[in-house]
């Protein structure tokens, strides 16, 4: 068992961390996103399926393209952010299981139907998307996850050559500007939504 994180680390990842609507001018570099990925990939997924597929959008051209497929105020947030990322999921993740889950060579056969694989891929890519947020915060960055976009058009524009990959959600990424956030919304008390049996 590892040692508990100190309060500074817990604040950075959870307690004082926020979802940002805008960012400073500090850039996000390819080295930064590689470092974030190298952390998030270590989070657990079912049979290590690693079903998430990430498109890291650093160019202004890419941000404008993604913004044009987003709704409401999300478009402007994407255009102005140092970076954005599309978190997708690969319905054919099972093809990689011989490499990713080598101690069960038959694992690819555990997922025979597309419907079953889609459910697995969506669930586990959602987990990996959460790991992305935690990894980014741990490395000094902030995020703005969002779901206000046209999934079908994003799939066509960014995964057009991979029909087995579908978009889950997107997020902006950078060093957050604290003037762009609202007061923190309430969080439920433990006994409101929890049951201990």
């Amino acid at each position: 068992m590892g040692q508990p994180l100190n309060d500074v680390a817990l604040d950075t990842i959870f307690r004082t961390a926020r979802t940002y609507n805008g960012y400073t001018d500090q850039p996000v570099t390819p080295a930064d996103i590689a470092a974030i990925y190298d952390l998030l990939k270590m989070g657990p997924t079912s049979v290590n399926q690693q079903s998430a597929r990430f498109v890291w959008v650093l160019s202004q051209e890419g941000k404008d393209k993604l913004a044009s497929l987003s709704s409401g105020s999300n478009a402007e947030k994407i255009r102005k952010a140092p970076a954005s990322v599309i978190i997708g999921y690969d319905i054919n993740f099972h093809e990689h299981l011989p490499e990713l889950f080598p101690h069960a060579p038959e694992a690819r056969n555990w997922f025979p139907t597309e419907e079953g694989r889609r459910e697995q891929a969506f669930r586990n890519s959602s987990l990996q998307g959460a790991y992305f947020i935690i990894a980014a915060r741990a490395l000094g960055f902030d995020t703005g996850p969002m779901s206000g976009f046209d999934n079908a058009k994003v799939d066509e524009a960014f995964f057009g050559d991979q029909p087995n990959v579908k978009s889950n959600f997107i997020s902006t990424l950078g060093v957050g500007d604290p003037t762009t956030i609202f007061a923190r919304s309430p969080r439920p008390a433990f006994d409101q939504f929890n049951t201990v049996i």
Side-chain angles (χ1 to χ4, degrees):
M1 179 177 173
Q3 294 297 312
L5 297 177
N6 63 30
D7 282 338
V8 172
L10 292 173
D11 286 346
T12 297
I13 296 172
F14 291 108
R15 294 189 295 222
T16 60
R18 299 296 306 277
T19 294
Y20 279 81
N21 297 305
Y23 300 88
T24 71
D25 292 334
Q26 182 173 324
V28 174
T29 68
D32 294 328
I33 61 175
I36 292 170
Y37 179 75
D38 281 343
L39 278 182
L40 77 86
K41 71 181 181 182
M42 303 309 292
T45 56
S46 177
V47 297
N48 197 36
Q49 65 182 242
Q50 301 288 319
S51 57
R53 301 293 178 264
F54 298 89
V55 175
W56 304 89
V57 185
L58 300 185
S59 70
Q60 192 60 51
E61 178 184 5
K63 288 184 279 188
D64 290 342
K65 182 178 178 181
L66 181 59
S68 72
L69 306 175
S70 303
S71 58
S73 61
N74 288 347
E76 195 63 14
K77 292 176 187 178
I78 291 167
R79 286 191 182 94
K80 290 184 175 180
S84 287
V85 57
I86 305 166
I87 297 95
Y89 58 95
D90 185 356
I91 298 168
N92 290 341
F93 67 86
H94 65 310
E95 297 295 343
H96 301 278
L97 291 181
E99 172 193 356
L100 296 174
F101 203 62
H103 46 282
E106 75 283 6
R108 179 166 46 190
N109 301 325
W110 298 347
F111 306 95
T113 69
E114 181 173 315
E115 181 181 2
R117 292 196 303 273
R118 184 183 297 271
E119 180 181 350
Q120 287 279 332
F122 182 79
R123 178 185 302 123
N124 285 279
S125 69
S126 298
L127 280 173
Q128 290 186 275
Y131 301 148
F132 151 73
I133 293 169
I134 293 171
R137 289 174 172 181
L139 292 176
F141 295 96
D142 300 293
T143 63
M146 58 185 74
S147 57
F149 64 97
D150 188 318
N151 286 81
K153 290 182 179 179
V154 167
D155 293 349
E156 181 181 0
F158 291 92
F159 299 119
D161 59 342
Q162 304 173 78
N164 50 298
V165 178
K166 306 298 180 185
S167 53
N168 186 338
F169 69 97
I170 60 181
S171 180
T172 51
L173 173 67
V175 175
D177 176 356
T179 67
T180 67
I181 57 176
F182 305 107
R184 183 182 288 282
S185 298
R187 296 299 195 269
F190 180 84
D191 59 1
Q192 185 173 356
F193 297 132
N194 294 272
T195 302
V196 179
I197 57 174

